[in-house]
Amino acid sequence: MSPAEILATNLLSPVVLAFGLGVAATLVKSDLEFPEALYQSLSIYLLLAIGLKGGAALSVTPIGQFLGPAAVTILLGLVTPLTAFAFLLGVMRIDRINAGALAAHYGSVSAVTFLAAVTFGEATRVPSEGFMPALVALLEVPAIVVGLLLARGASARAVREEGSGSWAGAIHEVVTGKSIILLVGGVLVGWVAGKERMAPVEPFFVAGFQGALTLFLLEMGLVASRRLRDLREAGILLVAFGTFVPLAHGVLGVWGGTLAGLSEGGAAVLGTMVASASYIAAPAAVRIALPEAKPSLYLTASLGITFPFNLVLGIPVYFALARIFGG
Amino acid sequence: MSPAEILATNLLSPVVLAFGLGVAATLVKSDLEFPEALYQSLSIYLLLAIGLKGGAALSVTPIGQFLGPAAVTILLGLVTPLTAFAFLLGVMRIDRINAGALAAHYGSVSAVTFLAAVTFGEATRVPSEGFMPALVALLEVPAIVVGLLLARGASARAVREEGSGSWAGAIHEVVTGKSIILLVGGVLVGWVAGKERMAPVEPFFVAGFQGALTLFLLEMGLVASRRLRDLREAGILLVAFGTFVPLAHGVLGVWGGTLAGLSEGGAAVLGTMVASASYIAAPAAVRIALPEAKPSLYLTASLGITFPFNLVLGIPVYFALARIFGG
Amino acid sequence: MSPAEILATNLLSPVVLAFGLGVAATLVKSDLEFPEALYQSLSIYLLLAIGLKGGAALSVTPIGQFLGPAAVTILLGLVTPLTAFAFLLGVMRIDRINAGALAAHYGSVSAVTFLAAVTFGEATRVPSEGFMPALVALLEVPAIVVGLLLARGASARAVREEGSGSWAGAIHEVVTGKSIILLVGGVLVGWVAGKERMAPVEPFFVAGFQGALTLFLLEMGLVASRRLRDLREAGILLVAFGTFVPLAHGVLGVWGGTLAGLSEGGAAVLGTMVASASYIAAPAAVRIALPEAKPSLYLTASLGITFPFNLVLGIPVYFALARIFGG
Amino acid sequence: METKSATMVTIVAERLLRDRLVEKIRALGAKGFTLTEVQGQGTRGWQAHEFEGPSVKIETLVRAEVAEQIVDAVAKYFEHHAVIVYLSDAKVVRLKKF
Amino acid sequence: METKSATMVTIVAERLLRDRLVEKIRALGAKGFTLTEVQGQGTRGWQAHEFEGPSVKIETLVRAEVAEQIVDAVAKYFEHHAVIVYLSDAKVVRLKKF
Amino acid sequence: METKSATMVTIVAERLLRDRLVEKIRALGAKGFTLTEVQGQGTRGWQAHEFEGPSVKIETLVRAEVAEQIVDAVAKYFEHHAVIVYLSDAKVVRLKKF
Ligand SMILES: Nc1ncnc2c1ncn2[C@@H]1O[C@H](COP(=O)(O)O)[C@@H](O)[C@H]1O
Ligand SMILES: Nc1ncnc2c1ncn2[C@@H]1O[C@H](COP(=O)(O)O)[C@@H](O)[C@H]1O
Ligand SMILES: Nc1ncnc2c1ncn2[C@@H]1O[C@H](COP(=O)(O)O)[C@@H](O)[C@H]1O
Ligand code: NA
Ligand code: NA
Ligand code: NA
């Protein structure tokens, strides 16, 4: 396909269109609202389903094939917070605390962006390895820890003072937070049970998956667009950060994935993962460890800027890159 | 099939039986309750699913084939509020405000009744056109606007006085209300994405549909039967209105559909749509534009009388009519 | 399969692993929580789905084949509360009230345990009769009534005194409680509609079932493990009761099922049903009829001890027994 | 608009009692009430809301003498049920509405 | 920490009015508010929460004079809508926050 | 039944603080509390309830001196978190229960 076609395929996919519908609904001030419980239920379902799928795939993957990509993923999880942090301190002159908070978000990964990439790969017949979800789990944690460490120096005070951020609490939150428990737990369950025993649950977790994702992206559209008005305050610099850094990370990810021996689709999906910014695990941990960091800053960047950017433009770009690096 | 058989097929369908179960549960004072969020989630799912299905079908329909039915549908949406209004003022001597409110409800359409009709058609092997859901969107809006206009004269005062009905607000509500956004939005998404790209989401939105509808009708049974006690106050005249007017509108709809060149099933479904009374979009708009109108009146009529009537008796009748007009 | 293999098959099934994941999440103090509405929605779905499935199966079962098992089931529902009650009064020296409350729970049945057994049977290719769900409905009610009657004598006073337990209220609750309405109602709907008419709703209620059950067991793991800390207070005697009595009841059930002419799988599932302890219908009824009974006692026993015991160890045992009795 | 005094009666109870308490307060003359789903912990420990659904808070604005009677009616449940009741002062317009 | 007096204004209204009321109280100077989804019954009977979503309780801590104005603003809706408003006293720290 | 005075402490806070605050108030001697899920807006703007879940309202009936200490404990969170606390008077029966 030509780049133009690739872009079209992405823009015309149900998930992206559903996201657009959510944005439109907010713009016309519709009273459309998802019940809190539906949002929570869909994220539980999606995270668990990713995990189960990845685990089942892992159970039939020769371990050797997995180690390379796993190592590269962890490495990327340690490096990307540093690059983001450097950019924020150096170029944008943001204070350590907020820089560390943002670094944690941009080092970590957004599960939904990951899913959009996998879906795109299937639609364009560039499938990715079945065990990719296991890599999501590996990428999510380290980056957040590094990000907090970077901010730490400045707020060491906070550790002692009660009522302010707690280091221990944050680490516990990162590792036992619901997104990790569902993702890692799902991988373990799927891996231990094995492909065959998972068969009976597939109609629910596999067949229903794409549709549930579409519904979720409609809600994401409603949520993300509520952040748009914060963009003005955020300013052009944040927009620059929220698009350039993901692109840079994406290149790094696709390149690393290719070196690690992932298929074209796998490299593209890994690139998307690295390019994406967390907005579930990271915000929770940052609120605990760095309560003085500005949520308006990191939520607006990750959710209002980077999420839509990757969903609409980033993903096709990372797939194009994977083709180039691959061939 | 003989009329008796047709009626039986309807009464023995899971959706109708589920509705009956809900009514029974209320009568025996069961503590069975659907969580608010489940009701909201199911309606979001159903409305979006109808839209997507209709849009996907539309994407493979020659436009010419769609224009006739579309025009007739809009026409019926403008005429039926007038007939209902005339009956209410003339025969039932109800005041303008409440007459207009009821007219808005009976001109508009009930998505669930529509779905029951489509389901019935499939069960009796009299399928309807795939693009019918797009007609639902076309029928929903105009009738509500006309109904409000009819009541308007009497409550012009209301426009100015703050805290009372707002004309602008009502129009905005009709057009951006969640049922329209999901329905129209769904049609657009399905139409733009096209049948092929919609394939991956079908298991969720198409295969799961009938079951979700059955669950929803169980809840509808619980809800509708809570209105039954209001029936006494409502009185026999309202019951007459809630059955005769739908029948009249049904005849009109089947006839119009046949003329517009719809298949037998399509004409029957259009008849059902026209015969049905809205209880989501219309009540919301009416509450805003005509706060002085009695909800006990229009909710009892549309939900307590007309909905069960169409579900149990109306639908088979409209299908019988379609056969007669058609052949 | 060897007993060891059978046990493994059970431990490695997605449902059991999901339960374990829930327990683990609580132990590591994860913030994973299911929204209240999701728990309620899943139980509504599961109970209704069981009923529908059983009813549809019943519609194609020669009545003669059903009567025997039905009679035995009701009989077991009358006997098991007595055996439990005797054990509690005689061996454990618990007061009548709490003994009666526990008897009601252990005579009745846990729908989820039942489902786990059916699933296990399918996984090990020892299927059970399709009409088993109808037996669940038959087993649930009588035991609760008997249990309350046993406690009654002691709390006759309660009947009069307002604000305390009400006999009528309890019976009404048992018979119209949501679990019975959904189960019995589902059986009726499925039975009246018949297998063929149920076909369109199968993707939702049948295909999706196993996955929904897995999700539900994750939540059950979260819920049950919160009860674990109550175990200390409960003491070893309650643990003994919560394991021995189910085993005894299981033997009784498998034996009875075999005599009643059920298949090997059917007998095993019936055994599991009899061995299981209710934690939805029974607690509700007991709270009403015996408010002075200690919830900490009967909830900890049925949910904290017996449910996990049956899920992990009991079910394989009852299937092993069924093989022995059968052959 | 000038305001008059009324008494706000607040009951927090396990779900089980919801309908009985609502009937009771209406019988005693409350003209309305507001229900909120809550979770709670007291001397009886957490309510097992997974099974009965969440606990419920019932608020009703009434005249002082009615408040008295509602408290007495609720007291009947103190022995065996998870329930508390307390009173506070509120100023309302449209006194006769309450 | 020493506390100062503020007035708690509580509005219970059908969902329909939620956004209008929130705008209103902010316009009148409330610095914040807390929303709770509730079900209610009053002289207009149950709110048909199935269709509009549940009713809403809006609580806002304000200074006495602001409270007055909010009550007057809400009163506009008494005729045609399901809504009540009442005032109670509260002690807060950080008075200037309210 | 005759009633005695107690103090109602109400805390509205972002979900994040829920468990910490609950532990705190129990440690300070509260015998029980009631939790309600709420949405709120204050000087920090809307709580991003999509991610952390809704904010929470914690109500606890306690003796005046305990109320004092709870307010001081909550004050620790004023600087960096979305949280408010206020006191009001309530009449209860069974005073020793609180
Ligand atoms: N001191 C308190 N402050 C606020 N709410 C309370 C208090 N004590 C009990 N409650 C509420 O009342 C319910 C029943 O209390 P109890 O009967 O003590 O278990 C609890 O679930 C709480 O929701
Ligand atoms: N006496 C009352 N006490 C507490 N809440 C009330 C009372 N009367 C009305 N309400 C609430 O206010 C809403 C509107 O009341 P109404 O306009 O009388 O229907 C009701 O749905 C209740 O939630
Ligand atoms: N004036 C107020 N009245 C009622 N609730 C408030 C008020 N100000 C703040 N709140 C609540 O307290 C939470 C935190 O407030 P803030 O720290 O100002 O963002 C908000 O989300 C509201 O739920
Ligand atoms: Na990243
Ligand atoms: Na109509
Ligand atoms: Na049993």
Side-chain angles (χ1 to χ4, degrees), chain A residues 36 39 162-163 223 226 279 287-288 291-292 303, chain F residues 14 16 24 49-54 77 80-81:
Chain A
E36 167 80 20
Y39 175 88
E162 182 194 13
V223 173
R226 283 190 213 116
Y279 50 79
R287 279 300 294 144
I288 294 176
E292 57 272 73
L303 193 69
Chain F
E14 57 186 298
L16 179 68
K24 199 73 200 158
H49 74 103
E50 284 87 4
F51 308 98
E52 307 175 15
Y77 293 96
H80 295 311
H81 295 86

PDB file of all heavy atoms in Angstrom, chain A residues 36 39 162-163 223 226 279 287-288 291-292 303, chain F residues 14 16 24 49-54 77 80-81:
ATOM      1  N   GLU A  36     -19.833   5.527  34.719  1.00  0.00           N
ATOM      2  CA  GLU A  36     -18.538   5.210  35.333  1.00  0.00           C
ATOM      3  C   GLU A  36     -18.258   3.706  35.299  1.00  0.00           C
ATOM      4  O   GLU A  36     -17.184   3.256  34.903  1.00  0.00           O
ATOM      5  CB  GLU A  36     -18.594   5.694  36.791  1.00  0.00           C
ATOM      6  CG  GLU A  36     -17.498   5.220  37.690  1.00  0.00           C
ATOM      7  CD  GLU A  36     -16.241   6.043  37.497  1.00  0.00           C
ATOM      8  OE1 GLU A  36     -16.341   7.163  36.970  1.00  0.00           O
ATOM      9  OE2 GLU A  36     -15.164   5.542  37.853  1.00  0.00           O
ATOM     10  N   TYR A  39     -17.126   2.285  31.935  1.00  0.00           N
ATOM     11  CA  TYR A  39     -15.723   2.583  31.645  1.00  0.00           C
ATOM     12  C   TYR A  39     -14.816   1.623  32.410  1.00  0.00           C
ATOM     13  O   TYR A  39     -13.919   1.007  31.842  1.00  0.00           O
ATOM     14  CB  TYR A  39     -15.396   4.034  32.015  1.00  0.00           C
ATOM     15  CG  TYR A  39     -13.938   4.356  31.844  1.00  0.00           C
ATOM     16  CD1 TYR A  39     -13.459   4.806  30.618  1.00  0.00           C
ATOM     17  CD2 TYR A  39     -13.032   4.179  32.883  1.00  0.00           C
ATOM     18  CE1 TYR A  39     -12.113   5.074  30.442  1.00  0.00           C
ATOM     19  CE2 TYR A  39     -11.685   4.445  32.716  1.00  0.00           C
ATOM     20  CZ  TYR A  39     -11.235   4.887  31.495  1.00  0.00           C
ATOM     21  OH  TYR A  39      -9.906   5.141  31.327  1.00  0.00           O
ATOM     22  N   GLU A 162       4.564  13.312  56.275  1.00  0.00           N
ATOM     23  CA  GLU A 162       3.330  12.554  56.088  1.00  0.00           C
ATOM     24  C   GLU A 162       2.343  13.380  55.257  1.00  0.00           C
ATOM     25  O   GLU A 162       2.417  14.593  55.218  1.00  0.00           O
ATOM     26  CB  GLU A 162       2.707  12.261  57.458  1.00  0.00           C
ATOM     27  CG  GLU A 162       1.444  11.426  57.344  1.00  0.00           C
ATOM     28  CD  GLU A 162       0.677  11.449  58.657  1.00  0.00           C
ATOM     29  OE1 GLU A 162       0.997  12.274  59.524  1.00  0.00           O
ATOM     30  OE2 GLU A 162      -0.245  10.644  58.780  1.00  0.00           O
ATOM     31  N   GLY A 163       1.473  12.709  54.597  1.00  0.00           N
ATOM     32  CA  GLY A 163       0.450  13.412  53.836  1.00  0.00           C
ATOM     33  C   GLY A 163       0.961  13.832  52.480  1.00  0.00           C
ATOM     34  O   GLY A 163       0.212  14.207  51.597  1.00  0.00           O
ATOM     35  N   VAL A 223     -13.668  11.368  26.644  1.00  0.00           N
ATOM     36  CA  VAL A 223     -12.760  11.758  27.728  1.00  0.00           C
ATOM     37  C   VAL A 223     -11.645  12.674  27.220  1.00  0.00           C
ATOM     38  O   VAL A 223     -11.409  13.746  27.766  1.00  0.00           O
ATOM     39  CB  VAL A 223     -12.137  10.504  28.382  1.00  0.00           C
ATOM     40  CG1 VAL A 223     -11.062  10.907  29.380  1.00  0.00           C
ATOM     41  CG2 VAL A 223     -13.209   9.674  29.058  1.00  0.00           C
ATOM     42  N   ARG A 226     -12.538  16.246  26.352  1.00  0.00           N
ATOM     43  CA  ARG A 226     -12.767  17.148  27.490  1.00  0.00           C
ATOM     44  C   ARG A 226     -11.452  17.816  27.892  1.00  0.00           C
ATOM     45  O   ARG A 226     -11.429  18.868  28.500  1.00  0.00           O
ATOM     46  CB  ARG A 226     -13.348  16.379  28.680  1.00  0.00           C
ATOM     47  CG  ARG A 226     -14.825  16.063  28.502  1.00  0.00           C
ATOM     48  CD  ARG A 226     -15.440  15.511  29.783  1.00  0.00           C
ATOM     49  NE  ARG A 226     -16.485  14.546  29.462  1.00  0.00           N
ATOM     50  CZ  ARG A 226     -16.444  13.263  29.768  1.00  0.00           C
ATOM     51  NH1 ARG A 226     -15.409  12.776  30.431  1.00  0.00           N
ATOM     52  NH2 ARG A 226     -17.423  12.453  29.428  1.00  0.00           N
ATOM     53  N   TYR A 279      -1.660   6.378  30.562  1.00  0.00           N
ATOM     54  CA  TYR A 279      -2.567   7.310  31.249  1.00  0.00           C
ATOM     55  C   TYR A 279      -3.413   6.571  32.271  1.00  0.00           C
ATOM     56  O   TYR A 279      -4.442   7.045  32.704  1.00  0.00           O
ATOM     57  CB  TYR A 279      -3.464   8.054  30.257  1.00  0.00           C
ATOM     58  CG  TYR A 279      -4.150   7.157  29.306  1.00  0.00           C
ATOM     59  CD1 TYR A 279      -5.279   6.459  29.687  1.00  0.00           C
ATOM     60  CD2 TYR A 279      -3.643   6.971  28.027  1.00  0.00           C
ATOM     61  CE1 TYR A 279      -5.893   5.613  28.826  1.00  0.00           C
ATOM     62  CE2 TYR A 279      -4.271   6.119  27.159  1.00  0.00           C
ATOM     63  CZ  TYR A 279      -5.389   5.454  27.563  1.00  0.00           C
ATOM     64  OH  TYR A 279      -6.012   4.597  26.698  1.00  0.00           O
ATOM     65  N   ARG A 287       0.619  10.399  41.087  1.00  0.00           N
ATOM     66  CA  ARG A 287      -0.187  11.107  42.093  1.00  0.00           C
ATOM     67  C   ARG A 287       0.299  10.758  43.488  1.00  0.00           C
ATOM     68  O   ARG A 287       0.280  11.578  44.406  1.00  0.00           O
ATOM     69  CB  ARG A 287      -1.676  10.719  41.974  1.00  0.00           C
ATOM     70  CG  ARG A 287      -2.446  11.421  40.897  1.00  0.00           C
ATOM     71  CD  ARG A 287      -2.478  12.918  41.058  1.00  0.00           C
ATOM     72  NE  ARG A 287      -3.211  13.340  42.237  1.00  0.00           N
ATOM     73  CZ  ARG A 287      -2.863  14.387  42.986  1.00  0.00           C
ATOM     74  NH1 ARG A 287      -1.765  15.070  42.720  1.00  0.00           N
ATOM     75  NH2 ARG A 287      -3.589  14.738  44.028  1.00  0.00           N
ATOM     76  N   ILE A 288       0.750   9.503  43.662  1.00  0.00           N
ATOM     77  CA  ILE A 288       1.169   9.060  44.998  1.00  0.00           C
ATOM     78  C   ILE A 288       2.576   9.527  45.309  1.00  0.00           C
ATOM     79  O   ILE A 288       2.839  10.097  46.363  1.00  0.00           O
ATOM     80  CB  ILE A 288       1.085   7.525  45.088  1.00  0.00           C
ATOM     81  CG1 ILE A 288      -0.374   7.090  44.975  1.00  0.00           C
ATOM     82  CG2 ILE A 288       1.696   7.025  46.394  1.00  0.00           C
ATOM     83  CD1 ILE A 288      -0.558   5.595  44.962  1.00  0.00           C
ATOM     84  N   PRO A 291       2.809  14.071  44.438  1.00  0.00           N
ATOM     85  CA  PRO A 291       1.530  14.789  44.480  1.00  0.00           C
ATOM     86  C   PRO A 291       1.672  16.241  44.047  1.00  0.00           C
ATOM     87  O   PRO A 291       0.709  16.844  43.595  1.00  0.00           O
ATOM     88  CB  PRO A 291       1.105  14.684  45.939  1.00  0.00           C
ATOM     89  CG  PRO A 291       2.341  14.360  46.691  1.00  0.00           C
ATOM     90  CD  PRO A 291       3.194  13.583  45.761  1.00  0.00           C
ATOM     91  N   GLU A 292       2.903  16.799  44.158  1.00  0.00           N
ATOM     92  CA  GLU A 292       3.063  18.207  43.784  1.00  0.00           C
ATOM     93  C   GLU A 292       3.183  18.413  42.281  1.00  0.00           C
ATOM     94  O   GLU A 292       3.125  19.532  41.797  1.00  0.00           O
ATOM     95  CB  GLU A 292       4.274  18.811  44.501  1.00  0.00           C
ATOM     96  CG  GLU A 292       5.594  18.081  44.255  1.00  0.00           C
ATOM     97  CD  GLU A 292       5.826  16.943  45.244  1.00  0.00           C
ATOM     98  OE1 GLU A 292       5.131  15.910  45.100  1.00  0.00           O
ATOM     99  OE2 GLU A 292       6.680  17.088  46.141  1.00  0.00           O
ATOM    100  N   LEU A 303      -2.948  12.254  27.287  1.00  0.00           N
ATOM    101  CA  LEU A 303      -4.283  11.888  26.840  1.00  0.00           C
ATOM    102  C   LEU A 303      -4.818  12.842  25.783  1.00  0.00           C
ATOM    103  O   LEU A 303      -5.464  12.430  24.822  1.00  0.00           O
ATOM    104  CB  LEU A 303      -5.218  11.887  28.050  1.00  0.00           C
ATOM    105  CG  LEU A 303      -6.552  11.222  27.795  1.00  0.00           C
ATOM    106  CD1 LEU A 303      -6.362   9.735  27.622  1.00  0.00           C
ATOM    107  CD2 LEU A 303      -7.497  11.515  28.941  1.00  0.00           C
TER     108      LEU A 303
ATOM    109  N   GLU F  14     -10.199  13.303  46.737  1.00  0.00           N
ATOM    110  CA  GLU F  14      -9.935  12.484  45.556  1.00  0.00           C
ATOM    111  C   GLU F  14      -9.742  11.044  46.010  1.00  0.00           C
ATOM    112  O   GLU F  14      -9.253  10.786  47.098  1.00  0.00           O
ATOM    113  CB  GLU F  14      -8.697  12.982  44.820  1.00  0.00           C
ATOM    114  CG  GLU F  14      -7.441  13.016  45.673  1.00  0.00           C
ATOM    115  CD  GLU F  14      -6.283  13.666  44.927  1.00  0.00           C
ATOM    116  OE1 GLU F  14      -5.877  13.131  43.886  1.00  0.00           O
ATOM    117  OE2 GLU F  14      -5.814  14.732  45.372  1.00  0.00           O
ATOM    118  N   LEU F  16      -7.767   8.678  45.550  1.00  0.00           N
ATOM    119  CA  LEU F  16      -6.427   8.329  45.982  1.00  0.00           C
ATOM    120  C   LEU F  16      -6.267   8.314  47.496  1.00  0.00           C
ATOM    121  O   LEU F  16      -5.583   7.459  48.063  1.00  0.00           O
ATOM    122  CB  LEU F  16      -5.478   9.384  45.391  1.00  0.00           C
ATOM    123  CG  LEU F  16      -4.010   9.292  45.703  1.00  0.00           C
ATOM    124  CD1 LEU F  16      -3.430   8.065  45.029  1.00  0.00           C
ATOM    125  CD2 LEU F  16      -3.309  10.546  45.190  1.00  0.00           C
ATOM    126  N   LYS F  24      -6.756   6.705  58.967  1.00  0.00           N
ATOM    127  CA  LYS F  24      -6.492   7.819  59.882  1.00  0.00           C
ATOM    128  C   LYS F  24      -7.657   8.018  60.855  1.00  0.00           C
ATOM    129  O   LYS F  24      -7.460   8.055  62.072  1.00  0.00           O
ATOM    130  CB  LYS F  24      -6.274   9.097  59.052  1.00  0.00           C
ATOM    131  CG  LYS F  24      -5.558  10.194  59.816  1.00  0.00           C
ATOM    132  CD  LYS F  24      -4.098   9.840  59.974  1.00  0.00           C
ATOM    133  CE  LYS F  24      -3.477  10.637  61.119  1.00  0.00           C
ATOM    134  NZ  LYS F  24      -2.265   9.987  61.630  1.00  0.00           N
ATOM    135  N   HIS F  49     -12.016  11.611  37.256  1.00  0.00           N
ATOM    136  CA  HIS F  49     -12.532  10.382  37.862  1.00  0.00           C
ATOM    137  C   HIS F  49     -12.466   9.205  36.897  1.00  0.00           C
ATOM    138  O   HIS F  49     -12.524   8.068  37.298  1.00  0.00           O
ATOM    139  CB  HIS F  49     -13.951  10.586  38.378  1.00  0.00           C
ATOM    140  CG  HIS F  49     -14.969  10.644  37.293  1.00  0.00           C
ATOM    141  ND1 HIS F  49     -15.784   9.581  37.012  1.00  0.00           N
ATOM    142  CD2 HIS F  49     -15.276  11.604  36.409  1.00  0.00           C
ATOM    143  CE1 HIS F  49     -16.578   9.906  36.018  1.00  0.00           C
ATOM    144  NE2 HIS F  49     -16.291  11.119  35.625  1.00  0.00           N
ATOM    145  N   GLU F  50     -12.274   9.508  35.602  1.00  0.00           N
ATOM    146  CA  GLU F  50     -12.174   8.371  34.692  1.00  0.00           C
ATOM    147  C   GLU F  50     -11.010   7.450  35.082  1.00  0.00           C
ATOM    148  O   GLU F  50     -11.065   6.255  34.913  1.00  0.00           O
ATOM    149  CB  GLU F  50     -11.961   8.823  33.245  1.00  0.00           C
ATOM    150  CG  GLU F  50     -13.233   9.347  32.592  1.00  0.00           C
ATOM    151  CD  GLU F  50     -13.421  10.824  32.873  1.00  0.00           C
ATOM    152  OE1 GLU F  50     -12.529  11.430  33.505  1.00  0.00           O
ATOM    153  OE2 GLU F  50     -14.468  11.376  32.492  1.00  0.00           O
ATOM    154  N   PHE F  51      -9.953   8.036  35.605  1.00  0.00           N
ATOM    155  CA  PHE F  51      -8.745   7.231  35.827  1.00  0.00           C
ATOM    156  C   PHE F  51      -8.645   6.685  37.226  1.00  0.00           C
ATOM    157  O   PHE F  51      -8.324   5.523  37.438  1.00  0.00           O
ATOM    158  CB  PHE F  51      -7.517   8.064  35.469  1.00  0.00           C
ATOM    159  CG  PHE F  51      -7.686   8.631  34.110  1.00  0.00           C
ATOM    160  CD1 PHE F  51      -8.123   9.916  33.933  1.00  0.00           C
ATOM    161  CD2 PHE F  51      -7.540   7.810  33.010  1.00  0.00           C
ATOM    162  CE1 PHE F  51      -8.372  10.403  32.668  1.00  0.00           C
ATOM    163  CE2 PHE F  51      -7.781   8.292  31.745  1.00  0.00           C
ATOM    164  CZ  PHE F  51      -8.193   9.588  31.574  1.00  0.00           C
ATOM    165  N   GLU F  52      -8.936   7.532  38.207  1.00  0.00           N
ATOM    166  CA  GLU F  52      -8.771   7.081  39.594  1.00  0.00           C
ATOM    167  C   GLU F  52     -10.076   6.548  40.156  1.00  0.00           C
ATOM    168  O   GLU F  52     -10.130   6.117  41.294  1.00  0.00           O
ATOM    169  CB  GLU F  52      -8.301   8.236  40.465  1.00  0.00           C
ATOM    170  CG  GLU F  52      -7.072   8.931  39.920  1.00  0.00           C
ATOM    171  CD  GLU F  52      -6.721  10.147  40.770  1.00  0.00           C
ATOM    172  OE1 GLU F  52      -7.232  10.272  41.886  1.00  0.00           O
ATOM    173  OE2 GLU F  52      -5.943  10.966  40.282  1.00  0.00           O
ATOM    174  N   GLY F  53     -11.136   6.598  39.370  1.00  0.00           N
ATOM    175  CA  GLY F  53     -12.446   6.340  39.929  1.00  0.00           C
ATOM    176  C   GLY F  53     -12.945   7.636  40.542  1.00  0.00           C
ATOM    177  O   GLY F  53     -12.184   8.596  40.687  1.00  0.00           O
ATOM    178  N   PRO F  54     -14.233   7.684  40.893  1.00  0.00           N
ATOM    179  CA  PRO F  54     -14.836   8.918  41.396  1.00  0.00           C
ATOM    180  C   PRO F  54     -14.188   9.371  42.705  1.00  0.00           C
ATOM    181  O   PRO F  54     -13.516   8.594  43.366  1.00  0.00           O
ATOM    182  CB  PRO F  54     -16.288   8.519  41.621  1.00  0.00           C
ATOM    183  CG  PRO F  54     -16.276   7.044  41.770  1.00  0.00           C
ATOM    184  CD  PRO F  54     -15.152   6.553  40.919  1.00  0.00           C
ATOM    185  N   TYR F  77      -3.167  17.277  54.074  1.00  0.00           N
ATOM    186  CA  TYR F  77      -3.274  17.000  52.643  1.00  0.00           C
ATOM    187  C   TYR F  77      -3.679  18.227  51.830  1.00  0.00           C
ATOM    188  O   TYR F  77      -3.723  18.181  50.605  1.00  0.00           O
ATOM    189  CB  TYR F  77      -4.291  15.878  52.410  1.00  0.00           C
ATOM    190  CG  TYR F  77      -3.845  14.540  52.953  1.00  0.00           C
ATOM    191  CD1 TYR F  77      -4.244  14.099  54.200  1.00  0.00           C
ATOM    192  CD2 TYR F  77      -2.993  13.724  52.201  1.00  0.00           C
ATOM    193  CE1 TYR F  77      -3.836  12.877  54.700  1.00  0.00           C
ATOM    194  CE2 TYR F  77      -2.579  12.501  52.695  1.00  0.00           C
ATOM    195  CZ  TYR F  77      -3.010  12.090  53.950  1.00  0.00           C
ATOM    196  OH  TYR F  77      -2.591  10.881  54.431  1.00  0.00           O
ATOM    197  N   HIS F  80      -1.262  19.584  48.630  1.00  0.00           N
ATOM    198  CA  HIS F  80      -1.077  18.933  47.326  1.00  0.00           C
ATOM    199  C   HIS F  80      -2.269  18.152  46.811  1.00  0.00           C
ATOM    200  O   HIS F  80      -2.225  17.609  45.718  1.00  0.00           O
ATOM    201  CB  HIS F  80       0.118  17.980  47.391  1.00  0.00           C
ATOM    202  CG  HIS F  80       1.421  18.671  47.615  1.00  0.00           C
ATOM    203  ND1 HIS F  80       1.805  19.765  46.880  1.00  0.00           N
ATOM    204  CD2 HIS F  80       2.408  18.448  48.509  1.00  0.00           C
ATOM    205  CE1 HIS F  80       2.987  20.172  47.294  1.00  0.00           C
ATOM    206  NE2 HIS F  80       3.369  19.387  48.287  1.00  0.00           N
ATOM    207  N   HIS F  81      -3.327  17.998  47.610  1.00  0.00           N
ATOM    208  CA  HIS F  81      -4.418  17.126  47.181  1.00  0.00           C
ATOM    209  C   HIS F  81      -5.757  17.835  47.125  1.00  0.00           C
ATOM    210  O   HIS F  81      -5.959  18.852  47.778  1.00  0.00           O
ATOM    211  CB  HIS F  81      -4.510  15.909  48.105  1.00  0.00           C
ATOM    212  CG  HIS F  81      -3.317  15.022  48.025  1.00  0.00           C
ATOM    213  ND1 HIS F  81      -2.192  15.240  48.779  1.00  0.00           N
ATOM    214  CD2 HIS F  81      -3.058  13.937  47.258  1.00  0.00           C
ATOM    215  CE1 HIS F  81      -1.292  14.316  48.497  1.00  0.00           C
ATOM    216  NE2 HIS F  81      -1.792  13.513  47.571  1.00  0.00           N
TER     217      HIS F  81
END
